[in-house]
Amino acid sequence: MPDAPGYADPHAVAAGDLPRLSLPYADGLITIARVRRTPDAPVCRVPPGDPAHGQRATLVDFVAADAAQAARTAVGLVRLAELTAVAVHARYAPSDTAALAVCLAGRLHDARARRGLTGHVVVADHRPELPAMGAPAEGAGGGDAADLVRVPHILAVHHRAGEGARGPWGGPMGPAGVTDRVVWEIMSPDQHRAWLGGRPGPPVGVLEECLGGLLTLAGLVRSGCTQVPSHAEVLGVLRGGPLTTEAVYRHPGLLLTVAAALGNREE
């Protein structure tokens, strides 16, 4: 997967660098596996002495899955098959949204690995339906899928003039050629706690209700608009960086209040 603007930030993506996917019109899972090319590798093997020896290749495949079970199936599959990541795909999701999910999955895997967190990443190119609390987690290896958590990540998609059609949760085109989009991540409770680093974070439902306002806020912060409510406070907590879901978890009171105000202003 190619690097994008601001590689240190996994939430900044160049539209031109998104993978080109050919997916069937079906619900399923996009599997992502990084393999090292060696003479004895099971796939992508190379002959001895080949310059590609030791290099990594990214393999992407599609497996049909029942939509109602896709989240828990993905959580089990990413562990049992030792995959880099799995993206849950809905048949109605646009191809560019699926490509965003695949791109973010690999970046989150790398970012978590640098922090010493588990690399079992599961994302979705739509708002995923999760199994009910307390439901049995078949095939999930230990039952973590019984109470999954979904987290919306805000991505800034950089594009050239004419690129970047809107998609689900897509914001308006910005003056700098940036569209703010949302890709969902699916975590086990243990993963979610480790990712938060002990912070409680806002209720998931409240965060989801404010997504429209958060996307608007992300664009306003990037453009330097001074009409943002509590402008100085917002810039202060973001410390010159973009608005991300992690920032919202760190400062939920301020950022969700501002996002709610922006969302109400647009209605």
Side-chain angles (χ1 to χ4, degrees):
M1 298 177 192
D3 295 346
Y7 176 68
D9 177 12
H11 304 91
V13 181
D17 288 343
L18 291 175
R20 296 183 180 276
L21 303 176
S22 179
L23 300 171
Y25 186 72
D27 299 311
L29 308 176
I30 304 171
T31 63
I32 306 161
R34 288 186 181 145
V35 298
R36 191 174 296 280
R37 304 194 67 183
T38 62
D40 58 349
V43 292
C44 290
R45 63 169 54 93
V46 295
D50 190 293
H53 180 277
Q55 295 181 1
R56 288 191 176 274
T58 300
L59 306 180
V60 178
D61 202 355
F62 179 83
V63 180
D66 177 67
Q69 302 295 324
R72 67 172 65 186
T73 302
V75 169
L77 181 62
V78 74
R79 296 184 177 187
L80 296 177
E82 297 184 354
L83 297 168
T84 299
V86 172
V88 180
H89 172 66
R91 63 182 181 276
Y92 57 79
S95 59
D96 67 327
T97 308
L100 274 177
V102 170
C103 180
L104 179 66
R107 286 157 172 249
L108 289 178
H109 174 275
D110 295 345
R112 303 277 162 79
R114 288 193 293 269
R115 293 173 56 186
L117 300 176
T118 176
H120 298 130
V121 174
V122 177
V123 298
D125 57 16
H126 60 290
R127 181 178 179 273
E129 294 300 323
L130 301 182
M133 183 179 299
E138 300 172 3
D144 313 8
D147 188 15
L148 298 175
V149 181
R150 63 181 170 227
V151 174
H153 288 285
I154 300 173
L155 276 67
V157 183
H158 297 249
H159 51 80
R160 297 187 300 271
E163 288 182 335
R166 298 185 189 186
W169 295 104
M173 302 291 283
V178 182
T179 304
D180 293 296
R181 303 281 294 275
V182 167
V183 170
W184 299 80
E185 183 177 7
I186 302 169
M187 297 183 183
S188 71
D190 287 343
Q191 284 179 307
H192 193 241
R193 283 189 291 269
W195 176 64
L196 291 176
R199 296 185 300 271
V204 175
V206 174
L207 192 153
E208 292 186 10
E209 290 175 1
C210 293
L211 270 181
L214 287 171
L215 286 167
T216 300
L217 179 58
L220 292 175
V221 167
R222 183 186 309 106
S223 65
C225 178
T226 60
Q227 300 304 311
V228 175
S230 304
H231 180 259
E233 292 86 347
V234 169
L235 294 185
V237 299
L238 295 180
R239 298 180 180 180
L243 178 70
T244 63
T245 301
E246 289 90 337
V248 177
Y249 271 102
R250 288 194 300 271
H251 308 281
L254 171 63
L255 296 179
L256 289 180
T257 298
V258 172
L262 291 171
N264 291 336
R265 180 186 299 177
E266 291 186 337
E267 293 177 356

